[in-house]
Amino acid sequence: MGRMQRVVGLIVLLLLGSTHPANGQTPTDRLVREAGKQIPSLAAFIVERHDSVRCQEYFHGATSQTPFNVKSMTKTFVSSIAGAARLRGLLPDLDTPFLTIMPEYGIPDRLAKNVWFHESPEDSEALADLREDDSLRKLLSLRQLMQMQAGFRYHEFGPIIDEYCSASDPVRFMIDLPFETEPGDTFNYCTGAAHMFGVALSRCVKTDIRTFADTALFIPAGIHVVRWATDPEGRSLGGSELWCTATDALRLGELYLHHGVAGGRQLLPSEWIDESWQKHAELAHWDVAPHVNGYGYYWWRRQSHGHQVYFASGYGGQLLCVIPDLDMVIVTICTLGKNNRGRSELRRLHDVIDRIVATERK
């Protein structure tokens, strides 16, 4: 009888061994650890599904307590703050013009009365162009700022970004730019537009957006923002330079996955999440992300093996991906030093995420 029990036990162990990977490593574990070897700047990679962490790895000296600059993922944090303002009735209709909220920016520096071409008839065409820009400026809405369809003559990855970052008042710098298209017509990624939205949102909530967010959203959701840089006017940057841990980013993804609920509290309206994830801007190609299918309110959209992915993205490999029909959140964070290969890190990480999705969906 004892021999029979040993045989049965051996069979059970063999069966268990066929469903549990050797060394306790799942296919997802192996994909993540291989990414850590291949991407020298990779610092953190978290995969969570069904509210259970499937894989959490830190590389190159980083830990769960290491704060990172999440770069343009900041924009998605700002989108969440707008949702918290909506819940409290503080966010106006998104079709409200920016200048209705910030009227002090309604007189462009370039249209001051003493500008030389006002006395030069031969420059009437240039003056007409400026007046047309001024008309468009008055129409520019909060919604268009969130959709990345502001219309400014602006190229994110050209010299103008340095001028924007050096401006004594970056909002004035942006609002004085000429227009290339009418607001609402064309997607054009623009960090300056996101900062404009953040400044307008501060006016709506009657305090700095970080101060409002800490009370209304971050602390209740378990998110700790370590640092958030400000512009020369002392306003939290709406487009970049927020610092948090990889786990903090995960908490934001969980909040969206759970329809705005954290700790039993409704922190964001569920309908705000649905609205934020809708395709508000047409976008079928983006060089650092495959299978893109539109842009929402500071949320990117793409497909992965037939699953809709909503993701926040920051320069150099900062990603927060929410995949609702897989009940999954994925976070990747990279250091931004000499080992970072720039935008190519995003392409590499999206490839790893696609392979994880293919594994986890089975």
Side-chain angles (χ1 to χ4, degrees):
M1 188 67 175
R3 181 181 178 185
M4 180 61 69
Q5 287 177 330
R6 287 195 296 272
V7 170
V8 171
L10 179 60
I11 292 171
V12 170
L13 286 173
L14 288 171
L15 289 173
L16 288 174
S18 67
T19 57
H20 288 72
N23 301 321
Q25 285 194 23
T26 67
T28 295
D29 290 329
R30 289 194 289 271
L31 286 168
V32 170
R33 290 171 188 174
E34 186 63 28
K37 296 175 183 177
Q38 295 178 351
I39 303 175
S41 66
L42 185 60
F45 205 125
I46 307 175
V47 180
E48 182 177 272
R49 192 174 186 197
H50 305 315
D51 293 327
S52 176
V53 174
R54 304 291 276 264
C55 179
Q56 183 169 211
E57 294 287 343
Y58 295 92
F59 306 96
H60 310 119
T63 72
S64 62
Q65 302 303 310
T66 304
F68 300 96
N69 184 346
V70 297
K71 301 303 284 185
S72 286
M73 193 188 292
T74 303
K75 298 175 176 69
T76 308
F77 277 87
V78 169
S79 184
S80 72
I81 299 168
R86 163 84 59 93
L87 186 69
R88 286 158 177 75
L90 299 174
L91 184 70
D93 188 299
L94 290 180
D95 291 321
T96 302
F98 172 81
L99 289 179
T100 298
I101 298 170
M102 306 295 297
E104 63 267 36
Y105 287 103
I107 303 175
D109 287 346
R110 295 179 301 118
L111 286 182
K113 291 182 179 180
N114 62 347
V115 175
W116 61 269
F117 50 70
H118 280 249
E119 306 300 325
S120 306
E122 64 271 19
D123 289 298
S124 58
E125 183 176 346
L127 182 58
D129 288 342
L130 289 175
R131 284 177 172 159
E132 181 180 0
D133 285 341
D134 193 42
S135 297
L136 296 176
R137 185 177 293 109
K138 292 172 182 175
L139 298 175
L140 178 60
S141 71
L142 299 180
R143 189 184 310 277
Q144 291 155 352
L145 293 173
M146 292 199 83
Q147 295 168 343
M148 293 295 183
Q149 297 188 112
F152 293 124
R153 190 181 299 165
Y154 175 102
H155 185 251
E156 179 80 9
F157 308 107
I160 197 168
I161 190 65
D162 293 327
E163 297 176 40
Y164 163 76
C165 290
S166 301
S168 59
D169 184 346
V171 173
R172 171 60 69 190
F173 175 85
M174 292 301 303
I175 203 69
D176 277 350
L177 287 175
F179 285 80
E180 192 165 53
T181 62
E182 290 193 15
D185 276 2
T186 306
F187 178 88
N188 181 23
Y189 189 75
C190 182
T191 290
H195 184 49
M196 289 175 63
F197 178 82
V199 168
L201 182 59
S202 291
R203 179 68 56 85
C204 295
V205 300
K206 298 180 173 57
T207 186
D208 183 75
I209 51 176
R210 178 176 180 177
T211 302
F212 171 77
D214 278 342
T215 301
L217 180 62
F218 292 162
I219 293 173
I223 297 169
H224 176 57
V225 172
V226 177
R227 174 187 167 197
W228 194 347
T230 58
D231 72 6
E233 298 287 322
R235 303 168 297 199
S236 295
L237 295 174
S240 190
E241 308 309 298
L242 180 149
W243 294 66
C244 67
T245 67
T247 303
D248 291 318
L250 182 73
R251 296 286 175 265
L252 182 66
E254 290 172 342
L255 183 64
Y256 274 75
L257 185 64
H258 297 151
H259 310 288
V261 175
R265 293 177 57 185
Q266 191 78 47
L267 302 179
L268 300 178
S270 180
E271 61 272 16
W272 174 258
I273 293 171
D274 294 338
E275 186 179 339
S276 299
W277 281 348
Q278 288 176 15
K279 181 172 67 174
H280 292 287
E282 291 291 337
L283 186 65
H285 173 76
W286 194 246
D287 64 323
V288 295
H291 313 300
V292 172
N293 62 350
Y295 190 83
Y297 292 158
Y298 302 143
W299 280 94
W300 300 83
R301 297 162 42 96
R302 78 176 186 93
Q303 291 277 316
S304 178
H305 297 285
H307 300 278
Q308 183 63 54
V309 181
Y310 307 100
F311 67 100
S313 180
Y315 174 85
Q318 326 301 43
L319 288 171
L320 164 61
C321 304
V322 182
I323 313 171
D325 60 352
L326 290 179
D327 199 24
M328 180 183 289
V329 181
I330 298 175
V331 172
T332 73
I333 302 290
C334 291
T335 58
L336 299 173
K338 61 182 180 181
N339 289 328
N340 194 294
R341 292 166 290 194
R343 289 162 59 77
S344 68
E345 304 293 41
L346 289 167
R347 287 190 289 268
R348 296 169 188 271
L349 287 165
H350 279 299
D351 179 65
V352 176
I353 289 167
D354 281 342
R355 285 185 281 163
I356 289 172
V357 168
T359 297
E360 292 283 342
R361 68 198 289 260
K362 294 177 182 178

